[in-house]
Short mmCIF file of all heavy atoms in Angstrom, two decimals:
data_model
loop_
_atom_site.label_atom_id
_atom_site.label_comp_id
_atom_site.label_asym_id
_atom_site.label_seq_id
_atom_site.Cartn_x
_atom_site.Cartn_y
_atom_site.Cartn_z
N PHE A 27 7.39 -14.60 5.43
CA PHE A 27 6.01 -14.34 4.98
C PHE A 27 6.05 -13.59 3.65
O PHE A 27 7.08 -13.03 3.26
CB PHE A 27 5.17 -13.61 6.03
CG PHE A 27 5.53 -12.16 6.27
CD1 PHE A 27 4.84 -11.15 5.59
CD2 PHE A 27 6.51 -11.78 7.18
CE1 PHE A 27 5.12 -9.82 5.80
CE2 PHE A 27 6.81 -10.43 7.39
CZ PHE A 27 6.12 -9.46 6.70
N ASN A 28 4.93 -13.61 2.94
CA ASN A 28 4.81 -12.88 1.68
C ASN A 28 3.89 -11.70 1.89
O ASN A 28 2.71 -11.84 2.17
CB ASN A 28 4.27 -13.79 0.60
CG ASN A 28 4.19 -13.09 -0.77
OD1 ASN A 28 3.52 -12.08 -0.90
ND2 ASN A 28 4.87 -13.63 -1.76
N ASP A 29 4.45 -10.51 1.76
CA ASP A 29 3.70 -9.30 2.06
C ASP A 29 2.52 -9.08 1.13
O ASP A 29 1.46 -8.62 1.51
CB ASP A 29 4.61 -8.07 2.04
CG ASP A 29 3.90 -6.83 2.52
OD1 ASP A 29 3.29 -6.88 3.59
OD2 ASP A 29 3.96 -5.81 1.80
N ASP A 30 2.67 -9.42 -0.16
CA ASP A 30 1.61 -9.20 -1.13
C ASP A 30 0.42 -10.10 -0.88
O ASP A 30 -0.72 -9.72 -1.17
CB ASP A 30 2.15 -9.40 -2.57
CG ASP A 30 3.31 -8.47 -2.86
OD1 ASP A 30 3.10 -7.25 -2.84
OD2 ASP A 30 4.44 -8.97 -3.09
N ILE A 31 0.67 -11.29 -0.39
CA ILE A 31 -0.43 -12.23 -0.07
C ILE A 31 -0.92 -11.96 1.33
O ILE A 31 -2.10 -11.70 1.56
CB ILE A 31 0.05 -13.70 -0.21
CG1 ILE A 31 0.49 -14.00 -1.65
CG2 ILE A 31 -1.08 -14.64 0.21
CD1 ILE A 31 1.16 -15.36 -1.81
N GLN A 32 0.00 -12.04 2.32
CA GLN A 32 -0.41 -12.04 3.73
C GLN A 32 -0.54 -10.65 4.35
O GLN A 32 -1.41 -10.40 5.16
CB GLN A 32 0.55 -12.93 4.52
CG GLN A 32 0.48 -14.38 4.07
CD GLN A 32 1.68 -15.19 4.51
OE1 GLN A 32 2.82 -14.87 4.15
NE2 GLN A 32 1.46 -16.23 5.32
N GLY A 33 0.38 -9.73 3.95
CA GLY A 33 0.28 -8.36 4.45
C GLY A 33 -0.98 -7.66 3.93
O GLY A 33 -1.70 -7.02 4.68
N THR A 34 -1.22 -7.82 2.63
CA THR A 34 -2.42 -7.23 2.02
C THR A 34 -3.68 -7.81 2.68
O THR A 34 -4.63 -7.10 2.98
CB THR A 34 -2.45 -7.52 0.50
OG1 THR A 34 -1.26 -7.00 -0.07
CG2 THR A 34 -3.64 -6.87 -0.16
N ALA A 35 -3.65 -9.13 2.90
CA ALA A 35 -4.81 -9.79 3.53
C ALA A 35 -5.06 -9.21 4.92
O ALA A 35 -6.22 -8.94 5.30
CB ALA A 35 -4.55 -11.28 3.62
N THR A 36 -4.00 -8.98 5.67
CA THR A 36 -4.12 -8.53 7.05
C THR A 36 -4.71 -7.12 7.11
O THR A 36 -5.61 -6.83 7.89
CB THR A 36 -2.75 -8.57 7.76
OG1 THR A 36 -2.18 -9.84 7.54
CG2 THR A 36 -2.90 -8.32 9.25
N VAL A 37 -4.20 -6.22 6.27
CA VAL A 37 -4.68 -4.84 6.32
C VAL A 37 -6.14 -4.77 5.82
O VAL A 37 -6.95 -4.00 6.34
CB VAL A 37 -3.75 -3.88 5.55
CG1 VAL A 37 -3.97 -3.92 4.05
CG2 VAL A 37 -3.90 -2.44 6.05
N ALA A 38 -6.49 -5.60 4.83
CA ALA A 38 -7.86 -5.60 4.32
C ALA A 38 -8.82 -6.16 5.38
O ALA A 38 -9.92 -5.62 5.60
CB ALA A 38 -7.95 -6.45 3.06
N LEU A 39 -8.40 -7.25 6.07
CA LEU A 39 -9.25 -7.81 7.12
C LEU A 39 -9.40 -6.82 8.29
O LEU A 39 -10.48 -6.71 8.86
CB LEU A 39 -8.67 -9.13 7.62
CG LEU A 39 -9.52 -9.86 8.68
CD1 LEU A 39 -10.88 -10.21 8.15
CD2 LEU A 39 -8.81 -11.13 9.17
N ALA A 40 -8.33 -6.10 8.62
CA ALA A 40 -8.44 -5.06 9.65
C ALA A 40 -9.47 -4.01 9.24
O ALA A 40 -10.28 -3.55 10.09
CB ALA A 40 -7.06 -4.40 9.86
N GLY A 41 -9.49 -3.65 7.96
CA GLY A 41 -10.48 -2.71 7.45
C GLY A 41 -11.89 -3.26 7.58
O GLY A 41 -12.83 -2.53 7.95
N ILE A 42 -12.04 -4.54 7.34
CA ILE A 42 -13.38 -5.18 7.46
C ILE A 42 -13.79 -5.21 8.95
O ILE A 42 -14.92 -4.89 9.28
CB ILE A 42 -13.35 -6.60 6.87
CG1 ILE A 42 -13.26 -6.51 5.33
CG2 ILE A 42 -14.61 -7.37 7.26
CD1 ILE A 42 -12.82 -7.79 4.66
N PHE A 43 -12.86 -5.56 9.85
CA PHE A 43 -13.18 -5.56 11.28
C PHE A 43 -13.60 -4.16 11.73
O PHE A 43 -14.55 -4.01 12.50
CB PHE A 43 -11.94 -6.00 12.11
CG PHE A 43 -11.68 -7.49 12.06
CD1 PHE A 43 -10.41 -7.98 12.37
CD2 PHE A 43 -12.68 -8.40 11.75
CE1 PHE A 43 -10.13 -9.35 12.33
CE2 PHE A 43 -12.41 -9.76 11.73
CZ PHE A 43 -11.15 -10.24 12.01
N ALA A 44 -12.87 -3.15 11.28
CA ALA A 44 -13.22 -1.75 11.63
C ALA A 44 -14.58 -1.40 11.06
O ALA A 44 -15.37 -0.67 11.69
CB ALA A 44 -12.14 -0.81 11.14
N SER A 45 -14.88 -1.90 9.84
CA SER A 45 -16.17 -1.63 9.21
C SER A 45 -17.32 -2.24 9.97
O SER A 45 -18.44 -1.71 9.94
CB SER A 45 -16.17 -2.19 7.79
OG SER A 45 -15.14 -1.64 7.01
N LEU A 46 -17.08 -3.33 10.67
CA LEU A 46 -18.15 -3.98 11.46
C LEU A 46 -18.67 -3.02 12.51
O LEU A 46 -19.89 -2.92 12.75
CB LEU A 46 -17.65 -5.26 12.12
CG LEU A 46 -17.17 -6.40 11.19
CD1 LEU A 46 -16.68 -7.58 12.01
CD2 LEU A 46 -18.27 -6.84 10.24
N ARG A 47 -17.76 -2.27 13.14
CA ARG A 47 -18.18 -1.30 14.14
C ARG A 47 -18.99 -0.18 13.49
O ARG A 47 -19.99 0.27 14.04
CB ARG A 47 -16.97 -0.71 14.86
CG ARG A 47 -16.18 -1.71 15.68
CD ARG A 47 -15.40 -1.05 16.79
NE ARG A 47 -14.46 -0.05 16.32
CZ ARG A 47 -13.21 -0.31 15.94
NH1 ARG A 47 -12.76 -1.56 15.97
NH2 ARG A 47 -12.41 0.66 15.54
N ALA A 48 -18.55 0.24 12.33
CA ALA A 48 -19.23 1.35 11.62
C ALA A 48 -20.59 0.93 11.08
O ALA A 48 -21.52 1.74 11.01
CB ALA A 48 -18.35 1.86 10.50
N SER A 49 -20.71 -0.36 10.69
CA SER A 49 -21.96 -0.82 10.06
C SER A 49 -22.91 -1.45 11.04
O SER A 49 -24.10 -1.65 10.75
CB SER A 49 -21.66 -1.81 8.94
OG SER A 49 -21.12 -3.01 9.47
N GLY A 50 -22.39 -1.80 12.23
CA GLY A 50 -23.24 -2.45 13.23
C GLY A 50 -23.60 -3.88 12.87
O GLY A 50 -24.53 -4.45 13.43
N LYS A 51 -22.85 -4.49 11.96
CA LYS A 51 -23.12 -5.87 11.54
C LYS A 51 -22.05 -6.81 12.08
O LYS A 51 -20.94 -6.39 12.44
CB LYS A 51 -23.14 -5.98 10.02
CG LYS A 51 -24.38 -5.37 9.37
CD LYS A 51 -24.42 -5.72 7.90
CE LYS A 51 -25.80 -5.43 7.31
NZ LYS A 51 -25.95 -6.01 5.95
N LYS A 52 -22.38 -8.10 12.08
CA LYS A 52 -21.42 -9.13 12.45
C LYS A 52 -20.71 -9.62 11.19
O LYS A 52 -21.25 -9.46 10.09
CB LYS A 52 -22.09 -10.31 13.15
CG LYS A 52 -22.86 -9.97 14.41
CD LYS A 52 -23.12 -11.20 15.26
CE LYS A 52 -23.93 -12.27 14.58
NZ LYS A 52 -25.35 -11.92 14.43
N LEU A 53 -19.58 -10.28 11.37
CA LEU A 53 -18.84 -10.81 10.22
C LEU A 53 -19.68 -11.82 9.44
O LEU A 53 -19.64 -11.87 8.21
CB LEU A 53 -17.52 -11.45 10.70
CG LEU A 53 -16.47 -11.75 9.66
CD1 LEU A 53 -15.99 -10.50 8.95
CD2 LEU A 53 -15.28 -12.47 10.29
N THR A 54 -20.49 -12.58 10.15
CA THR A 54 -21.33 -13.60 9.53
C THR A 54 -22.48 -13.01 8.73
O THR A 54 -23.13 -13.72 7.97
CB THR A 54 -21.90 -14.59 10.58
OG1 THR A 54 -22.41 -13.84 11.66
CG2 THR A 54 -20.83 -15.55 11.07
N ASP A 55 -22.75 -11.73 8.89
CA ASP A 55 -23.83 -11.05 8.13
C ASP A 55 -23.37 -10.69 6.71
O ASP A 55 -24.17 -10.21 5.90
CB ASP A 55 -24.29 -9.80 8.83
CG ASP A 55 -24.94 -10.07 10.18
OD1 ASP A 55 -25.52 -11.17 10.31
OD2 ASP A 55 -24.86 -9.23 11.09
N HIS A 56 -22.07 -10.86 6.45
CA HIS A 56 -21.51 -10.33 5.19
C HIS A 56 -21.33 -11.40 4.12
O HIS A 56 -21.06 -12.57 4.41
CB HIS A 56 -20.16 -9.64 5.45
CG HIS A 56 -20.30 -8.32 6.14
ND1 HIS A 56 -20.73 -7.19 5.47
CD2 HIS A 56 -20.10 -7.93 7.42
CE1 HIS A 56 -20.76 -6.18 6.29
NE2 HIS A 56 -20.39 -6.61 7.49
N THR A 57 -21.46 -10.95 2.88
CA THR A 57 -21.11 -11.73 1.69
C THR A 57 -20.06 -10.93 0.95
O THR A 57 -20.28 -9.74 0.66
CB THR A 57 -22.34 -11.97 0.79
OG1 THR A 57 -23.32 -12.67 1.55
CG2 THR A 57 -21.96 -12.80 -0.43
N PHE A 58 -18.92 -11.55 0.62
CA PHE A 58 -17.80 -10.85 0.04
C PHE A 58 -17.63 -11.18 -1.42
O PHE A 58 -17.67 -12.34 -1.83
CB PHE A 58 -16.51 -11.23 0.79
CG PHE A 58 -16.55 -10.93 2.26
CD1 PHE A 58 -17.01 -11.88 3.15
CD2 PHE A 58 -16.17 -9.70 2.75
CE1 PHE A 58 -17.09 -11.60 4.52
CE2 PHE A 58 -16.22 -9.42 4.10
CZ PHE A 58 -16.68 -10.37 4.99
N LEU A 59 -17.46 -10.13 -2.23
CA LEU A 59 -17.20 -10.32 -3.68
C LEU A 59 -15.89 -9.62 -4.02
O LEU A 59 -15.73 -8.42 -3.74
CB LEU A 59 -18.35 -9.76 -4.53
CG LEU A 59 -18.12 -9.76 -6.05
CD1 LEU A 59 -17.88 -11.17 -6.58
CD2 LEU A 59 -19.28 -9.09 -6.77
N PHE A 60 -14.99 -10.35 -4.63
CA PHE A 60 -13.71 -9.79 -5.03
C PHE A 60 -13.68 -9.52 -6.55
O PHE A 60 -14.01 -10.40 -7.33
CB PHE A 60 -12.56 -10.75 -4.70
CG PHE A 60 -12.24 -10.81 -3.25
CD1 PHE A 60 -12.97 -11.63 -2.38
CD2 PHE A 60 -11.23 -10.03 -2.70
CE1 PHE A 60 -12.69 -11.67 -1.03
CE2 PHE A 60 -10.94 -10.06 -1.34
CZ PHE A 60 -11.68 -10.88 -0.51
#
């Protein structure tokens, strides 16, 4: 695996999942801008 592509993606998505609990929103409620 490539850590810069896939490891970074995993930790960022984990942060988003954790944020869902904090924000009370579902994943489908979000629009993402990079």
Side-chain angles (χ1 to χ4, degrees):
F27 72 94
N28 182 302
D29 187 50
D30 302 297
I31 299 171
Q32 295 163 300
T34 303
T36 310
V37 80
L39 183 61
I42 290 162
F43 285 158
S45 301
L46 298 179
R47 295 204 302 272
S49 68
K51 286 190 166 191
K52 301 199 300 287
L53 194 61
T54 46
D55 296 330
H56 286 286
T57 300
F58 302 91
L59 174 61
F60 286 84

